[in-house]
Amino acid sequence: MKRNLKSITYSLLIAALLPVAAFSQTKNSTKMTNEQTTALFPKGDKLPDSYFTGNAYLKPLLAKDKNNDFAMGSVTFEPNARTIWHTHPRGQVLIVTEGAGFYQEKGKPARAIKKGDVVNIPENVEHWHGAGATTSMTHIAITNYEGDTNVIWLTPVSQEEYSAANNK
Ligand code: MN
């Protein structure tokens, strides 16, 4: 009798806990799904190989208009993807919204950047930005115009330059 009561009690306990376990599992997997799919902005369209090495995507957010003398977009770099070397005639601001990667000015060591970092890029400074070799990165880019020009594209970041940034 005592044994039966004990076993019934255990059964009840297990029966009571099972839905909790199932619920918390559902909750966790929902949370993970959300983290994977609720990026701040859509990934957008693939950027051209001529100015980007690897897979990079742009979702335009704002075009230059009568009040704002800049363009704003969300750029997503898959691992290994980066811009080529370039300058901005009136500078650029980057706000990293996801992942981690690098920003490098010519002649200086690469700076590791990650979600939450803000980079203020001076005018006419040769630089590149992009993902890490094993990490993707998304940043908002706010790029000021001088007349109709907001970027001057230069030459690709070599594999040696990119590896040096990653191995530092
Ligand atoms: Mn730039």
Side-chain angles (χ1 to χ4, degrees), residues 43 47 52-53 55-57 75-83 94 100 102 129-132 135-139:
K43 200 169 174 183
L47 284 158
F52 293 81
T53 301
N55 295 322
Y57 301 81
V75 186
T76 297
F77 299 88
E78 289 183 353
N80 276 305
R82 66 267 189 182
T83 68
L94 306 178
F102 296 98
H129 26 111
T135 59
S136 60
M137 179 178 73
T138 302
H139 65 49

Short mmCIF file of all heavy atoms in Angstrom, two decimals, residues 43 47 52-53 55-57 75-83 94 100 102 129-132 135-139:
data_model
loop_
_atom_site.label_atom_id
_atom_site.label_comp_id
_atom_site.label_asym_id
_atom_site.label_seq_id
_atom_site.Cartn_x
_atom_site.Cartn_y
_atom_site.Cartn_z
N LYS A 43 17.98 41.46 -45.07
CA LYS A 43 19.36 41.36 -45.57
C LYS A 43 19.55 42.20 -46.84
O LYS A 43 20.61 42.75 -47.09
CB LYS A 43 19.63 39.89 -45.87
CG LYS A 43 21.07 39.50 -45.95
CD LYS A 43 21.13 37.96 -45.98
CE LYS A 43 22.53 37.46 -46.21
NZ LYS A 43 22.54 35.98 -46.30
N LEU A 47 25.61 42.75 -53.00
CA LEU A 47 26.39 43.87 -53.53
C LEU A 47 27.38 43.37 -54.59
O LEU A 47 27.78 42.21 -54.58
CB LEU A 47 27.13 44.55 -52.37
CG LEU A 47 26.20 45.43 -51.51
CD1 LEU A 47 26.78 45.65 -50.12
CD2 LEU A 47 25.90 46.75 -52.20
N PHE A 52 32.97 44.69 -53.52
CA PHE A 52 32.90 43.85 -52.31
C PHE A 52 33.49 42.49 -52.61
O PHE A 52 33.18 41.89 -53.64
CB PHE A 52 31.45 43.71 -51.83
CG PHE A 52 30.86 45.01 -51.35
CD1 PHE A 52 30.37 45.95 -52.27
CD2 PHE A 52 30.83 45.32 -50.00
CE1 PHE A 52 29.86 47.17 -51.84
CE2 PHE A 52 30.32 46.54 -49.57
CZ PHE A 52 29.84 47.46 -50.48
N THR A 53 34.35 42.02 -51.70
CA THR A 53 34.91 40.68 -51.85
C THR A 53 34.05 39.74 -51.02
O THR A 53 33.75 40.04 -49.87
CB THR A 53 36.37 40.67 -51.32
OG1 THR A 53 37.12 41.63 -52.07
CG2 THR A 53 36.99 39.29 -51.45
N ASN A 55 30.48 37.56 -50.05
CA ASN A 55 29.04 37.80 -50.09
C ASN A 55 28.63 38.92 -49.13
O ASN A 55 28.65 38.74 -47.91
CB ASN A 55 28.25 36.53 -49.75
CG ASN A 55 28.47 35.45 -50.79
OD1 ASN A 55 28.56 35.74 -51.98
ND2 ASN A 55 28.59 34.21 -50.35
N ALA A 56 28.29 40.06 -49.70
CA ALA A 56 27.82 41.20 -48.91
C ALA A 56 26.49 41.67 -49.49
O ALA A 56 26.26 41.57 -50.71
CB ALA A 56 28.84 42.33 -48.94
N TYR A 57 25.61 42.16 -48.61
CA TYR A 57 24.24 42.50 -49.01
C TYR A 57 23.88 43.90 -48.50
O TYR A 57 24.32 44.30 -47.43
CB TYR A 57 23.25 41.48 -48.43
CG TYR A 57 23.53 40.07 -48.88
CD1 TYR A 57 24.53 39.31 -48.26
CD2 TYR A 57 22.85 39.51 -49.96
CE1 TYR A 57 24.82 38.02 -48.69
CE2 TYR A 57 23.13 38.22 -50.39
CZ TYR A 57 24.12 37.48 -49.76
OH TYR A 57 24.40 36.22 -50.19
N VAL A 75 24.17 46.99 -44.12
CA VAL A 75 25.03 46.12 -44.92
C VAL A 75 25.36 44.86 -44.13
O VAL A 75 25.80 44.95 -42.97
CB VAL A 75 26.35 46.84 -45.31
CG1 VAL A 75 27.17 45.97 -46.27
CG2 VAL A 75 26.07 48.19 -45.94
N THR A 76 25.12 43.71 -44.73
CA THR A 76 25.43 42.44 -44.08
C THR A 76 26.57 41.75 -44.82
O THR A 76 26.50 41.56 -46.03
CB THR A 76 24.18 41.52 -44.05
OG1 THR A 76 23.17 42.16 -43.27
CG2 THR A 76 24.51 40.16 -43.44
N PHE A 77 27.62 41.41 -44.07
CA PHE A 77 28.78 40.71 -44.63
C PHE A 77 28.77 39.28 -44.10
O PHE A 77 28.80 39.07 -42.88
CB PHE A 77 30.08 41.37 -44.17
CG PHE A 77 30.26 42.81 -44.57
CD1 PHE A 77 29.77 43.84 -43.78
CD2 PHE A 77 30.94 43.14 -45.74
CE1 PHE A 77 29.96 45.17 -44.13
CE2 PHE A 77 31.14 44.48 -46.10
CZ PHE A 77 30.64 45.49 -45.30
N GLU A 78 28.77 38.30 -44.98
CA GLU A 78 28.95 36.92 -44.54
C GLU A 78 30.42 36.73 -44.18
O GLU A 78 31.26 37.55 -44.57
CB GLU A 78 28.52 35.96 -45.66
CG GLU A 78 27.01 35.95 -45.84
CD GLU A 78 26.53 34.97 -46.90
OE1 GLU A 78 27.36 34.37 -47.61
OE2 GLU A 78 25.30 34.82 -46.99
N PRO A 79 30.76 35.66 -43.41
CA PRO A 79 32.18 35.45 -43.06
C PRO A 79 33.07 35.58 -44.29
O PRO A 79 32.71 35.10 -45.37
CB PRO A 79 32.19 34.02 -42.50
CG PRO A 79 30.82 33.87 -41.90
CD PRO A 79 29.89 34.62 -42.83
N ASN A 80 34.21 36.26 -44.12
CA ASN A 80 35.21 36.51 -45.18
C ASN A 80 34.85 37.66 -46.12
O ASN A 80 35.69 38.07 -46.93
CB ASN A 80 35.48 35.25 -46.02
CG ASN A 80 36.51 34.37 -45.38
OD1 ASN A 80 37.61 34.84 -45.07
ND2 ASN A 80 36.16 33.12 -45.14
N ALA A 81 33.65 38.18 -46.04
CA ALA A 81 33.26 39.26 -46.96
C ALA A 81 33.72 40.61 -46.41
O ALA A 81 33.74 40.84 -45.21
CB ALA A 81 31.75 39.27 -47.16
N ARG A 82 34.12 41.49 -47.30
CA ARG A 82 34.56 42.85 -46.91
C ARG A 82 34.47 43.78 -48.11
O ARG A 82 34.40 43.32 -49.25
CB ARG A 82 36.00 42.83 -46.37
CG ARG A 82 37.09 42.47 -47.36
CD ARG A 82 37.43 41.00 -47.35
NE ARG A 82 38.63 40.69 -48.15
CZ ARG A 82 39.11 39.47 -48.33
NH1 ARG A 82 38.49 38.42 -47.82
NH2 ARG A 82 40.20 39.28 -49.04
N THR A 83 34.52 45.08 -47.82
CA THR A 83 34.58 46.06 -48.90
C THR A 83 35.99 46.00 -49.51
O THR A 83 36.90 45.41 -48.91
CB THR A 83 34.38 47.50 -48.36
OG1 THR A 83 35.51 47.84 -47.55
CG2 THR A 83 33.10 47.63 -47.54
N LEU A 94 29.57 54.18 -39.09
CA LEU A 94 29.08 52.80 -39.07
C LEU A 94 28.53 52.49 -37.68
O LEU A 94 29.14 52.86 -36.67
CB LEU A 94 30.22 51.81 -39.37
CG LEU A 94 31.04 52.01 -40.64
CD1 LEU A 94 32.15 50.97 -40.72
CD2 LEU A 94 30.13 51.94 -41.87
N ALA A 100 30.29 40.41 -35.65
CA ALA A 100 31.60 41.01 -35.39
C ALA A 100 32.45 40.97 -36.65
O ALA A 100 32.28 40.10 -37.51
CB ALA A 100 32.30 40.23 -34.27
N PHE A 102 35.73 43.71 -38.75
CA PHE A 102 36.89 44.61 -38.67
C PHE A 102 36.66 45.92 -39.41
O PHE A 102 35.91 45.98 -40.38
CB PHE A 102 38.13 43.93 -39.27
CG PHE A 102 38.55 42.72 -38.49
CD1 PHE A 102 38.17 41.44 -38.90
CD2 PHE A 102 39.30 42.84 -37.33
CE1 PHE A 102 38.54 40.32 -38.18
CE2 PHE A 102 39.68 41.74 -36.60
CZ PHE A 102 39.29 40.46 -37.02
N HIS A 129 35.95 47.85 -44.41
CA HIS A 129 35.22 47.25 -43.30
C HIS A 129 34.59 45.95 -43.77
O HIS A 129 34.29 45.80 -44.96
CB HIS A 129 34.18 48.17 -42.67
CG HIS A 129 33.61 49.26 -43.54
ND1 HIS A 129 32.31 49.27 -43.99
CD2 HIS A 129 34.18 50.38 -44.05
CE1 HIS A 129 32.09 50.36 -44.71
NE2 HIS A 129 33.21 51.06 -44.78
N GLY A 130 34.43 45.02 -42.84
CA GLY A 130 33.83 43.75 -43.24
C GLY A 130 33.74 42.75 -42.11
O GLY A 130 34.04 43.08 -40.95
N ALA A 131 33.33 41.54 -42.46
CA ALA A 131 33.15 40.46 -41.50
C ALA A 131 34.50 39.91 -41.06
O ALA A 131 35.54 40.24 -41.61
CB ALA A 131 32.32 39.35 -42.14
N GLY A 132 34.48 39.04 -40.06
CA GLY A 132 35.66 38.25 -39.71
C GLY A 132 35.70 37.00 -40.57
O GLY A 132 34.73 36.70 -41.27
N THR A 135 33.13 35.02 -38.65
CA THR A 135 31.95 35.69 -38.08
C THR A 135 31.32 36.61 -39.11
O THR A 135 32.01 37.31 -39.84
CB THR A 135 32.35 36.55 -36.86
OG1 THR A 135 33.31 37.54 -37.28
CG2 THR A 135 32.95 35.72 -35.74
N SER A 136 30.01 36.61 -39.16
CA SER A 136 29.33 37.57 -40.04
C SER A 136 29.17 38.89 -39.28
O SER A 136 29.32 38.94 -38.05
CB SER A 136 27.97 37.02 -40.48
OG SER A 136 27.17 36.79 -39.36
N MET A 137 28.91 39.94 -40.00
CA MET A 137 28.70 41.24 -39.36
C MET A 137 27.67 42.05 -40.16
O MET A 137 27.70 42.05 -41.39
CB MET A 137 29.99 42.05 -39.29
CG MET A 137 29.77 43.44 -38.65
SD MET A 137 31.24 44.44 -38.47
CE MET A 137 31.57 44.92 -40.16
N THR A 138 26.78 42.72 -39.44
CA THR A 138 25.86 43.66 -40.08
C THR A 138 26.07 45.03 -39.47
O THR A 138 26.19 45.15 -38.24
CB THR A 138 24.39 43.22 -39.86
OG1 THR A 138 24.23 41.90 -40.39
CG2 THR A 138 23.43 44.17 -40.57
N HIS A 139 26.20 46.05 -40.31
CA HIS A 139 26.27 47.42 -39.78
C HIS A 139 25.37 48.34 -40.59
O HIS A 139 25.09 48.10 -41.76
CB HIS A 139 27.70 47.95 -39.73
CG HIS A 139 28.41 48.14 -41.05
ND1 HIS A 139 27.84 48.80 -42.11
CD2 HIS A 139 29.64 47.77 -41.46
CE1 HIS A 139 28.69 48.82 -43.12
NE2 HIS A 139 29.80 48.18 -42.76
#
